[in-house]
């Protein structure tokens, strides 16, 4: 599945959940708001009834109200109607039942009453009525009419049929009922009835928990339809915006994907736009850094191969020319000519050894047997031999070592190799040098080892490249000055393997200073 499709589905599902939750919460808020409004309107409508109840209590403490509750409900209904509030009529047999008057029972006539109807007229029916006590008189007698439904009801059941009997209940402060009866399972709010700053009773009003009026239901239904419509419109708008938004967000990702494919094919000169200030812009800048690093590494690799080929080809060509000259008789086969050929062969062997050492160092194949040692002791141990080597080149060795121990964790053999390479580099390239100063100093968490001369020095633009493979400050690359151009590169590999750092700077005397910083250890 494509990333754009996933992003669209995520936005779609998130929008559906948010819009659905919003519609649900707003609908519920509308329902509760309408109920709260109706209950508050109901309280406002019955406020005059509370004042009348106060007057009734002052007159007879509600004795007349208890004997005539219909008058209270009639007055209460008037106040509610004035406030636009209606009381639901609760029928006797249930909320959905209808009370209908029963039709009177059919009149039962005797079997032979048809004969009397035909022979008698309404005028002489009284004269023709059979005598009392006879069979005909007994058959014509009708049963007495039954009492109506209203007359058979008990007063309590008759009161329970009053609208509002369970919705509006008046009680004394002690809880004794005056009018109405609290219905179990219903929630009531209490309006205190104060007489002479004393609560004498309460008017209990049932709280509406749901909507039952047709107008109220229509209003809420209409609001629900509006909310659903608004939610659908909002959802469509979000989906309409998600498509171009997804394309806008994924366009830099697509460019980066295409750039990575081109980078994998070797097009290291490719760059991404970096105008954005978000994470994608940072990713584009990191891509450019990666491409630039790969381009530099590729350039260095090509230059290293060309330099290595040149360095190998030069002594081989010289050696071949001398041998062919001796074979052809152009040069005599003398000891001097053989020594010259041997010198070229030694130089070639040294170059091959350096290339092999550098390759092993880059591959991490060089073995290091590290141990804790005092760097000052290692330098003093090599002082005599290196002094003789430098003296033959007309350079004086000057020691300026830290008085305290400079403990480091290092391989002494590799440090001796490092020291030899740096001294050889000074002898070959520090023209006009008369002193080589070797110094150490302790810092808070490191030991600094510095080797500097007072020769001609190196131009500032060459300093960062001194540790590159086969790099020479002499662009003519003449072999008269000797060296393979790999000595400082090998030195840097040894220093990095000891978790140390190295820098090339201009010394205070104007020559070259090599500054190495090693992490210190406790003795």
């Amino acid at each position: 599945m494509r990333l754009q499709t996933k992003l669209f589905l995520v936005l779609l599902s998130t929008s559906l959940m948010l819009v659905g939750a919003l519609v649900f919460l707003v609908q519920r808020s509308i329902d509760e708001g309408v109920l709260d409004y109706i209950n508050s309107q109901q309280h406002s409508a019955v406020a005059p009834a509370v004042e009348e109840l106060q007057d009734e209590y002052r007159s007879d403490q509600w004795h007349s109200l208890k004997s005539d509750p219909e008058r209270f409900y009639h007055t209460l209904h008037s106040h509610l109607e004035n406030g636009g509030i209606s009381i639901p009529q609760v029928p006797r047999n249930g909320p959905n039942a209808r009370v209908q008057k029963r039709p009177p029972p059919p009149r039962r006539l005797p079997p032979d009453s048809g004969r009397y109807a035909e022979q008698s007229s309404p005028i002489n029916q009284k004269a023709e009525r059979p005598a009392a006590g006879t069979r005909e008189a007994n058959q014509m007698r009708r049963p007495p009419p039954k009492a109506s439904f209203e007359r058979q009801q008990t007063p309590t059941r008759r009161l329970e049929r009053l609208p509002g009997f369970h919705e509006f209940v008046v009680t004394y402060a002690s809880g004794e009922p005056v009018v109405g009866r609290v219905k179990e399972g219903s929630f009531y709010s209490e309006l205190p009835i104060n007489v002479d700053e004393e609560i004498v009773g309460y008017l209990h009003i049932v709280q509406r928990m749901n909507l039952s009026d047709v107008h109220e239901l229509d209003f809420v239904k209409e609001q629900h339809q509006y909310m659903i419509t608004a939610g659908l419109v909002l959802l469509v708008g979000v989906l309409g915006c998600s498509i171009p938004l997804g394309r806008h967000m994924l366009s830099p990702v697509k460019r980066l994907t295409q750039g990575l494919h081109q980078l994998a094919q070797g097009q290291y000169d490719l760059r991404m736009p970096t105008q954005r200030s978000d994470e994608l812009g940072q990713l584009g800048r990191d891509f450019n850094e990666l491409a630039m690093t790969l381009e530099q590494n590729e350039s260095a690799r090509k230059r290293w191969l060309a330099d290595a080929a040149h360095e190998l080809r030069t002594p081989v060509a010289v050696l071949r020319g001398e041998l062919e000259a001796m074979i052809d008789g152009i040069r005599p086969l003398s000891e001097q000519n053989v020594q010259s050929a041997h010198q070229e062969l030694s130089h070639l062997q040294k170059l091959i050894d350096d290339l092999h050492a550098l390759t092993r160092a880059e591959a991490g194949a060089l073995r290091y047997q590290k141990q804790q040692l005092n760097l000052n002791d290692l330098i003093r141990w090599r002082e005599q031999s290196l002094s003789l080597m430098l003296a033959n080149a007309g350079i004086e060795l000057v020691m300026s070592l830290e008085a305290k121990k400079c403990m480091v964790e290092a391989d002494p053999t590799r440090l001796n190799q490092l020291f030899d390479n740096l001294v050889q580099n000074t002898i070959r390239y520090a023209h006009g040098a008369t002193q080589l100063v070797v110094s150490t100093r302790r810092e808070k968490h490191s030991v600094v080892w510095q080797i500097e001369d007072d020769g001609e020095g190196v131009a500032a633009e060459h300093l960062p490249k001194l540790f590159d493979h086969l790099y020479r400050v002499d662009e003519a690359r003449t072999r008269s000055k000797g060296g393979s151009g790999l000595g400082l590169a090998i030195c840097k590999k040894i220093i990095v393997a000891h978790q140390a750092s190295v820098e090339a700077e201009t010394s205070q005397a104007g020559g070259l200073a090599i500054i190495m910083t090693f992490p210190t250890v406790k003795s």
Side-chain angles (χ1 to χ4, degrees):
M1 186 182 295
R2 298 175 57 189
L3 184 60
Q4 184 174 359
T5 305
K6 293 181 180 179
L7 182 60
F8 176 79
L9 291 178
V10 169
L11 290 176
L12 176 62
S13 57
T14 305
S15 301
L16 283 174
M17 290 189 294
L18 292 178
V19 171
L22 178 63
V23 171
F24 172 75
L25 292 176
V26 172
Q27 288 183 349
R28 185 170 180 178
S29 176
I30 290 175
D31 294 343
E32 294 179 354
V34 171
L35 284 174
D36 292 341
Y37 174 77
I38 293 174
N39 290 326
S40 63
Q41 289 294 105
Q42 191 170 252
H43 286 193
S44 300
V46 299
V50 174
E51 298 178 358
E52 295 180 0
L53 287 173
Q54 294 173 350
D55 296 337
E56 289 279 347
Y57 186 86
R58 289 190 183 95
S59 61
D60 59 356
Q61 297 185 354
W62 294 333
H63 294 296
S64 61
L65 189 63
K66 294 174 67 175
S67 60
D68 189 11
E70 296 183 6
R71 177 172 56 84
F72 166 73
Y73 285 111
H74 177 74
T75 305
L76 186 63
H77 294 171
S78 300
H79 294 305
L80 292 174
E81 289 177 358
N82 294 333
I85 307 297
S86 61
I87 300 178
Q89 302 286 335
V90 182
R92 181 187 56 183
N93 297 327
N96 299 323
R98 291 185 178 181
V99 180
Q100 298 179 349
K101 293 183 179 181
R102 295 182 181 180
R107 180 180 179 183
R108 296 195 304 174
L109 299 176
D112 54 350
S113 60
R115 177 167 52 86
Y116 293 100
E118 295 177 358
Q119 296 178 0
S120 304
S121 61
I123 298 175
N124 54 12
Q125 279 181 4
K126 184 176 181 179
E128 296 177 357
R129 183 178 300 272
T134 61
R135 180 181 178 185
E136 291 80 359
N138 292 333
Q139 290 179 349
M140 293 180 63
R141 182 182 300 173
R142 294 193 304 269
K146 294 182 178 180
S148 64
F149 177 75
E150 295 290 340
R151 295 177 181 177
Q152 291 181 350
Q153 286 186 335
T154 61
T156 302
R157 292 182 60 85
R158 181 173 59 81
L159 290 175
E160 288 182 352
R161 289 189 57 200
L162 290 175
F165 184 78
H166 294 288
E167 286 77 13
F168 300 92
V169 181
V170 179
T171 63
Y172 289 105
S174 61
E176 180 185 354
V178 179
V179 176
R181 179 178 298 174
V182 175
K183 188 176 182 180
E184 295 182 1
S186 299
F187 298 92
Y188 292 81
S189 62
E190 297 178 350
L191 293 180
I193 303 173
N194 298 312
V195 176
D196 297 332
E197 297 182 357
E198 181 183 358
I199 298 177
V200 298
Y202 296 95
L203 174 60
H204 303 266
I205 304 174
V206 70
Q207 294 294 304
R208 298 275 293 275
M209 305 305 296
N210 49 35
L211 302 177
S212 58
D213 188 73
V214 176
H215 300 291
E216 299 169 357
L217 294 174
D218 290 342
F219 172 77
V220 173
K221 183 178 180 181
E222 184 178 1
Q223 297 302 316
H224 289 180
Q225 291 176 352
Y226 288 156
M227 285 305 305
I228 293 174
T229 304
L232 293 176
V233 172
L234 180 61
L235 181 61
V236 172
V238 170
L239 295 180
C241 295
S242 63
I243 297 176
L245 180 62
R247 291 177 180 175
H248 173 71
M249 294 180 61
L250 294 178
S251 58
V253 178
K254 290 182 179 179
R255 286 197 299 268
L256 286 172
T257 303
Q258 296 173 358
L260 288 174
H261 286 299
Q262 296 177 6
L263 204 63
Q265 296 173 1
Q267 299 182 14
Y268 302 130
D269 57 344
L270 182 65
R271 297 294 183 269
M272 292 286 116
T274 57
Q275 291 81 9
R276 301 174 66 105
S277 59
D278 54 3
E279 289 80 0
L280 293 176
Q282 182 62 41
L283 184 60
R285 288 187 285 273
D286 293 340
F287 177 89
N288 293 340
E289 290 287 339
L290 175 62
M292 185 172 61
T293 303
L294 291 175
E295 185 179 14
Q296 293 175 353
N297 291 340
E298 180 66 14
S299 177
R301 184 184 68 84
K302 291 179 180 179
R303 187 178 67 251
W304 187 84
L305 289 176
D307 294 343
H310 175 76
E311 292 292 336
L312 291 173
R313 185 172 60 248
T314 301
V316 169
V318 173
L319 180 60
R320 179 180 177 182
E322 290 183 357
L323 292 176
E324 287 180 351
M326 287 186 289
I327 292 173
D328 295 339
I330 299 175
R331 298 182 64 180
L333 185 60
S334 62
E335 182 179 356
Q336 182 180 0
N337 292 334
V338 172
Q339 287 288 344
S340 176
H342 183 267
Q343 184 179 0
E344 292 297 333
L345 184 61
S346 298
H347 180 75
L348 180 61
Q349 182 63 43
K350 178 67 168 58
L351 179 60
I352 293 174
D353 291 342
D354 288 345
L355 287 173
H356 180 64
L358 182 61
T359 304
R360 292 183 62 194
E362 289 185 343
L366 289 180
R367 294 183 179 179
Y368 294 85
Q369 297 178 355
K370 297 180 180 180
Q371 61 187 25
Q372 291 188 10
L373 55 89
N374 186 1
L375 185 60
N376 293 337
D377 293 342
L378 184 141
I379 295 174
R380 291 191 185 97
W381 182 72
R382 295 298 311 277
E383 181 178 1
Q384 184 177 2
S385 61
L386 293 179
S387 296
L388 294 175
M389 187 186 303
L390 289 168
N392 293 332
I395 302 175
E396 179 187 3
L397 179 61
V398 179
M399 294 289 184
S400 178
L401 304 180
E402 174 78 27
K404 298 180 180 180
K405 292 183 178 181
C406 296
M407 301 300 297
V408 296
E409 186 173 2
D411 184 347
T413 303
R414 297 302 176 189
L415 289 187
N416 285 323
Q417 182 184 358
L418 170 65
F419 204 0
D420 289 339
N421 286 350
L422 293 177
V423 172
Q424 289 289 341
N425 186 77
T426 302
I427 295 174
R428 289 175 179 174
Y429 301 108
H431 302 291
T434 59
Q435 280 188 349
L436 180 66
V437 180
V438 179
S439 62
T440 58
R441 67 177 184 272
R442 287 181 56 178
E443 294 184 353
K444 187 175 183 181
H445 299 292
S446 61
V447 173
V448 179
W449 182 14
Q450 184 170 334
I451 299 176
E452 56 181 335
D453 60 68
D454 58 351
E456 295 179 357
V458 179
E461 62 269 15
H462 296 293
L463 291 176
K465 302 178 182 179
L466 286 180
F467 300 97
D468 292 349
H469 304 159
L470 300 172
Y471 184 80
R472 285 179 178 176
V473 176
D474 183 10
E475 296 180 358
R477 302 184 61 83
T478 59
R479 300 181 63 253
S480 60
K481 298 180 180 178
S484 61
L486 295 174
L488 291 180
I490 295 175
C491 289
K492 184 175 182 180
K493 296 298 180 183
I494 294 174
I495 293 171
V496 172
H498 285 82
Q499 289 80 42
S501 62
V502 60
E503 294 179 352
E505 298 179 356
T506 301
S507 66
Q508 295 180 355
L512 178 65
I514 303 297
I515 303 172
M516 298 162 284
T517 305
F518 292 83
T520 185
V521 294
K522 295 182 179 181
S523 57

